[in-house]
């Protein structure tokens, strides 16, 4: 049974204290249902980030937006909003920073002397196809730059809005320059509305897989995060559905609640699922050595204990049953020259 006072269409139900603030205070009770999302243009000097985490497979990532309107209470990116002086709670969903100069910065990055191309993850932190993209179209412009320079990019999103740019994605795929990863933690639509309230519906995500696949655009699915007691009974159902829709591969993660994600998630689940909140939290603790989070490289991806092991085994079964023989292509860097035309660089 859901708390009637929960703010619908919202992940965080309140702001939480910024851990970098010098002085602590109790956040005021505000009528957040009447607070509109605001957009602030920021002017970064660079847009491509080098990924230094030892247990992550990508070398580079880029994020056209800071903050995310999708409203997932468990989002690992929430604490990054605190560096800007905001809260990881409702501020993360309502105060969105927009990097309009991202396409120009990316072009300058590609033109750097000596740059050796490697696939870039578009949305390493916050979703590049969140609702703000309908208005600003920064992601679309970034993809056009990647096509112009023949540079590979992996797109990660929870939003079927990615289909809007199929006119760019298709010619990129013809040159083996793009793949799309859709995040699908559940295909139970009632649960989806609570877990990720402003993302595309499960039905529309599955349709997006079909359309992308029909256009020969490689599709991976992130079944993430798996939250025991909420969606941990769904892996086989999800894997069957995404395989039939045309996905070529999948990945998954087990939920972990680091830093200020923890109070946001606890407040959310106590409001959204008061009847099983403590059970879910205890199950998460059983996978995380008695805690809700885990920052240890490699260990944070695997978790531990009987619950984690059962989930891992379920995905092993699903991989063998639904993805046997499927292979995800590696993107190509061979046609990148650092220029829009096909001429080789004069100097390296």
């Amino acid at each position: 049974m859901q708390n009637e006072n929960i703010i619908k269409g919202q992940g965080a139900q309140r702001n939480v204290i910024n851990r970098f603030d010098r002085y602590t205070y109790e956040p005021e009770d505000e009528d957040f249902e009447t607070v509109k999302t605001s957009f602030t243009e920021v002017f970064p000097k660079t847009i491509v980030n080098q990924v230094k985490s030892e247990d992550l497979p990508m070398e580079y990532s880029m994020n056209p937006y800071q903050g995310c309107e999708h409203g997932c209470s468990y989002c690992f990116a929430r604490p990054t909003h605190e560096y800007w002086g905001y809260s990881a709670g409702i501020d993360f969903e309502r105060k969105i920073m927009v990097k309009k100069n991202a396409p120009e910065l990316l072009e300058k990055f590609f033109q750097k002397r000596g740059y050796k191309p490697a696939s870039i993850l578009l949305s390493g932190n916050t979703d590049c196809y969140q609702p703000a993209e309908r208005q600003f179209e920064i992601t679309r412009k970034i993809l056009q730059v990647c096509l112009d320079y023949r540079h590979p990019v992996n797109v990660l999103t929870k939003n079927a809005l990615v289909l809007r740019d199929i006119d760019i994605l298709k010619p990129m795929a013809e040159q083996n320059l793009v793949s799309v990863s859709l995040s699908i933690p559940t295909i139970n639509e009632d649960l989806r509305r609570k877990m990720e309230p402003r993302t595309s519906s499960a039905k529309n995500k599955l349709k997006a897989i079909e359309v992308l696949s029909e256009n020969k655009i490689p599709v991976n699915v992130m079944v993430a995060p798996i939250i025991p007691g909420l969606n941990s009974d769904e892996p086989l159902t999800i894997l069957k559905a995404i395989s039939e829709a045309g996905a070529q591969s999948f990945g998954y993660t087990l939920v972990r609640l680091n830093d200020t994600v923890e109070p946001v998630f606890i407040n959310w689940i106590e409001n959204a699922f008061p009847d099983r909140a403590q059970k879910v939290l205890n199950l998460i603790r059983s996978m995380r050595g008695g805690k809700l989070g885990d920052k240890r490289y490699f260990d944070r991806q695997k978790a531990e204990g009987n619950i984690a092991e059962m989930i891992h085994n379920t995905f092993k079964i699903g991989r063998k049953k639904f993805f046997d023989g499927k292979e995800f292509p590696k993107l190509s860097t061979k046609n990148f020259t650092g220029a829009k035309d096909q001429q080789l660089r004069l100097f390296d």
Side-chain angles (χ1 to χ4, degrees):
M1 182 176 180
Q2 181 172 307
N3 189 330
E4 293 182 358
N5 295 321
I6 192 171
I7 304 175
K8 294 181 179 180
Q10 189 82 38
Q13 296 298 299
R14 60 182 175 88
N15 271 328
V16 294
I17 295 170
N18 186 322
R19 62 204 159 109
F20 298 115
D21 281 350
R22 183 177 179 184
Y23 302 103
T24 60
Y25 61 94
E26 289 298 321
E28 295 180 0
D29 290 329
E30 298 181 42
D31 183 8
F32 286 110
E33 290 186 281
T34 64
V35 177
K36 294 183 178 180
T37 301
S38 64
F39 302 101
T40 302
E41 184 175 2
V42 293
F43 301 90
K45 294 181 179 179
T46 60
I47 191 61
V48 179
N49 311 300
Q50 187 173 9
V51 178
K52 298 181 179 180
S53 296
E54 300 172 11
D55 57 351
L56 295 178
M58 73 289 295
E59 291 187 47
Y60 298 103
S61 70
M62 56 181 162
N63 301 280
Y65 304 99
Q66 181 66 39
C68 184
E69 300 170 84
H70 280 154
C72 309
S73 64
Y74 47 77
C75 180
F76 68 87
R78 285 183 177 274
T80 63
H81 225 46
E82 296 173 302
Y83 293 108
W84 299 81
Y86 294 122
S87 170
I90 289 178
D91 282 353
F92 179 77
E93 302 173 38
R94 297 290 179 89
K95 298 182 185 298
I96 309 300
M97 279 159 284
V98 180
K99 305 173 186 177
K100 292 183 180 179
N101 65 339
E104 291 77 16
L105 292 173
L106 181 61
E107 191 163 7
K108 289 179 181 178
F109 180 79
F110 287 162
Q111 294 171 352
K112 280 186 177 180
R113 181 177 296 182
Y115 167 62
K116 297 185 185 305
S119 187
I120 298 175
L121 176 63
L122 182 51
S123 285
N125 197 39
T126 54
D127 203 309
C128 63
Y129 279 107
Q130 61 180 282
E133 172 62 16
R134 293 185 184 277
Q135 175 181 346
F136 296 105
E137 298 191 351
I138 301 173
T139 298
R140 180 176 175 82
K141 294 171 186 174
I142 285 175
L143 289 173
Q144 184 62 57
V145 172
C146 289
L147 175 59
D148 290 344
Y149 281 80
R150 302 164 303 284
H151 193 286
V153 62
N154 302 97
V155 179
L156 173 60
T157 183
K158 289 174 172 281
N159 205 312
L161 178 60
V162 64
L163 294 181
R164 179 202 63 187
D165 297 333
I166 205 160
D167 60 317
I168 301 175
L169 296 172
K170 189 172 181 179
M172 290 186 74
E174 290 170 355
Q175 301 178 63
N176 197 19
L177 295 174
V178 72
S179 68
V180 175
S181 289
L182 278 163
S183 175
I184 304 180
T186 179
I187 54 175
N188 177 330
E189 187 57 18
D190 289 336
L191 179 57
R192 198 278 311 166
R193 290 191 188 99
K194 295 176 183 178
M195 280 184 65
E196 39 177 34
R198 276 177 260 155
T199 65
S200 297
S201 68
K203 179 181 178 181
N204 285 342
K205 289 183 186 180
L206 291 173
K207 182 63 178 176
I209 295 174
E210 292 179 6
V211 174
L212 291 166
S213 298
E214 287 168 359
N215 284 275
K216 302 188 184 323
I217 299 164
V219 182
N220 173 71
V221 171
M222 284 302 299
V223 188
I226 295 297
I227 304 174
L230 281 187
N231 64 341
S232 53
D233 61 337
E234 288 194 72
L236 293 180
T237 305
I238 295 173
L239 295 185
K240 182 177 186 292
I242 64 175
S243 178
E244 291 176 350
Q248 291 172 264
S249 65
F250 71 90
Y252 69 98
T253 62
L254 305 186
V255 68
R256 58 189 180 92
L257 309 171
N258 290 337
D259 301 319
T260 36
V261 180
E262 180 177 322
V264 172
F265 182 87
I266 290 174
N267 184 250
W268 169 77
I269 200 165
E270 288 178 344
N271 281 279
F273 298 97
D275 57 328
R276 54 175 143 162
Q278 291 309 311
K279 176 184 177 182
V280 171
L281 293 172
N282 287 333
L283 287 171
I284 296 173
R285 290 187 182 100
S286 77
M287 300 192 306
R288 299 294 179 186
K291 300 178 181 180
L292 293 174
D294 189 349
K295 294 184 179 181
R296 297 172 298 169
Y297 287 136
F298 301 102
D299 289 330
R300 61 181 180 171
Q301 308 291 4
K302 297 183 296 183
E304 60 189 15
N306 293 335
I307 300 298
E309 193 62 30
M310 284 191 290
I311 294 171
H312 292 318
N313 288 336
T314 300
F315 277 104
K316 287 178 183 176
I317 293 170
R319 190 179 301 278
K320 185 174 182 180
K321 186 171 184 178
F322 302 115
F323 284 83
D324 190 37
K326 290 195 174 189
E327 187 175 351
F328 199 69
K330 184 178 180 180
L331 301 185
S332 173
T333 60
K334 67 179 183 179
N335 292 322
F336 176 83
T337 63
K340 286 186 177 181
D341 57 37
Q342 286 283 59
Q343 292 182 354
L344 296 176
R345 299 186 193 197
L346 294 176
F347 304 99
D348 282 292

